[in-house]
């Protein structure tokens, strides 16, 4: 299952784990309340900007089992923020992290961006059947070729809004480098400054002749990722 909350916030259910990524549930596009999010196993935060850390404190409070996964310095910060450092799992960019009791492969990837705590990242989540890539906030970068080659994500969540991240022009090149089967656009339309739109990305990947589906999700929408392929 994949659910989009708007902005860069997603919920994934992979091999029985409920995962939130960049859980700014109370973003302007969302009708949902962070307090209603329950039974979370992992909260992954790609970098330390407020629109990605989002409602981590509220969700961590309401989900005492949930662990927070992030780059080391951000995990330390978030552990202090929730008043429970033991629940923050800090790793770094490279091979998949060892997370106690979790069979998924979760690897932090580079991102070309900034962050107040450690380096900004993206994340790859590989389950038995499906592999997801959430790029975090980033520009296009040649590393996407490596991410595509090593992890072969079928579903890529890519920022397209511009100004702070790629817009559809850069994102179309990112799609070429990553070769996913499906792109779910994110980080657009939340504010007027995030001007990129999924239809522009769709036209640009067609121009490049890429065999990929651009699958825009409405905030609050839930889908079965297998149906997207
Ligand atoms: Zn950011």
């Amino acid at each position: 299952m994949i659910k989009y909350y708007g902005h860069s916030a997603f919920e994934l259910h992979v091999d029985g784990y409920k995962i939130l990524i960049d859980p700014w549930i109370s973003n302007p596009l969302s009708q949902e309340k962070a307090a209603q999010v329950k039974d979370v196993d992992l909260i992954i935060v790609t970098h330390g900007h407020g629109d990605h850390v989002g409602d981590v404190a509220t969700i961590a409070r309401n989900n005492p089992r949930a662990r927070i996964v992030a780059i080391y310095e951000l995990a330390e910060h978030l552990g202090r923020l929730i008043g429970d450092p033991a629940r923050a799992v800090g790793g770094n960019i490279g091979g998949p992290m060892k997370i106690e009791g979790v069979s998924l492969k979760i690897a932090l990837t580079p991102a070309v961006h900034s962050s107040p705590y450690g380096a900004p990242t993206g994340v790859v989540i590989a389950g038995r059947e499906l592999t997801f890539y959430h790029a975090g906030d980033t520009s296009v970068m040649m590393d996407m070729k490596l991410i595509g080659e090593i992890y072969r994500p079928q579903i890529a969540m890519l920022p397209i809004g511009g100004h702070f991240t790629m817009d559809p022009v850069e994102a179309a090149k990112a799609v070429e480098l990553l070769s996913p089967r499906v792109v779910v656009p994110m980080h657009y339309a939340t504010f007027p400054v995030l001007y990129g739109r999924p239809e522009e990305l769709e036209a640009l990947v067609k121009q490049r002749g890429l065999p990929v589906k651009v699958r825009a999700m409405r905030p609050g929408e839930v889908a079965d990722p297998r149906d997207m392929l």
Side-chain angles (χ1 to χ4, degrees):
M1 182 274 232
I2 178 169
K3 177 171 182 176
Y4 184 46
Y5 285 97
H7 203 59
S8 295
F10 287 88
E11 180 179 313
L12 302 179
H13 296 198
V14 189
D15 299 356
Y17 300 96
K18 182 163 170 176
I19 303 163
L20 294 176
I21 309 174
D22 289 353
W24 188 28
I25 308 299
S26 57
N27 72 74
L29 299 174
S30 170
Q31 304 288 321
E32 320 221 11
K33 303 271 177 291
Q36 290 160 352
V37 182
K38 294 282 158 63
D39 303 319
V40 177
D41 296 297
L42 298 172
I43 306 167
I44 301 172
V45 184
T46 60
H47 66 289
H49 288 149
D51 56 324
H52 297 258
V53 171
D55 301 297
V56 131
T58 305
I59 296 163
R61 197 183 318 122
N62 292 328
N63 292 267
R65 264 187 323 113
R67 280 171 292 168
I68 297 173
V69 176
I71 201 159
Y72 187 80
E73 292 81 1
L74 179 57
E76 264 197 326
H77 165 69
L78 296 175
R80 280 193 302 271
L81 184 80
I82 67 166
D84 192 354
R87 283 168 60 197
V89 183
N92 217 312
I93 295 164
M97 299 167 70
K98 285 254 180 219
I99 304 172
E100 208 189 327
V102 176
S103 62
L104 302 170
K105 282 190 176 172
I106 298 179
L108 301 178
T109 63
V112 178
H113 194 63
S114 63
S115 175
Y117 303 99
T121 70
V123 64
V124 170
I125 300 165
R128 283 190 297 270
E129 254 184 276
L130 289 176
T131 298
F132 299 84
Y133 168 54
H134 183 294
D137 278 2
T138 186
S139 180
V140 64
M141 52 180 180
M142 286 306 292
D143 302 66
M144 287 167 170
K145 180 100 183 144
L146 287 177
I147 293 166
E149 185 184 313
I150 293 173
Y151 299 108
R152 302 186 176 282
Q154 294 103 331
I155 297 171
M157 293 156 262
L158 300 181
I160 65 158
H163 192 83
F164 298 110
T165 69
M166 306 189 278
D167 82 2
V169 172
E170 291 81 19
K173 181 63 189 178
V175 171
E176 188 178 291
L177 293 168
L178 286 160
S179 315
R181 288 176 63 185
V182 177
V183 179
V184 181
M186 65 178 182
H187 212 272
Y188 68 95
T190 323
F191 313 109
V193 72
L194 304 182
Y195 56 85
R197 291 294 180 269
E199 309 79 66
E200 298 161 26
L201 177 62
E202 198 163 8
L204 290 162
V205 295
K206 259 197 201 115
Q207 268 176 34
R208 285 181 180 269
L210 303 173
V212 68
K213 272 185 225 161
V214 176
R215 173 67 164 81
M217 294 183 75
R218 294 181 311 278
E221 184 182 348
V222 174
D224 183 337
R226 288 167 301 189
D227 296 341
M228 292 180 168
L229 299 175

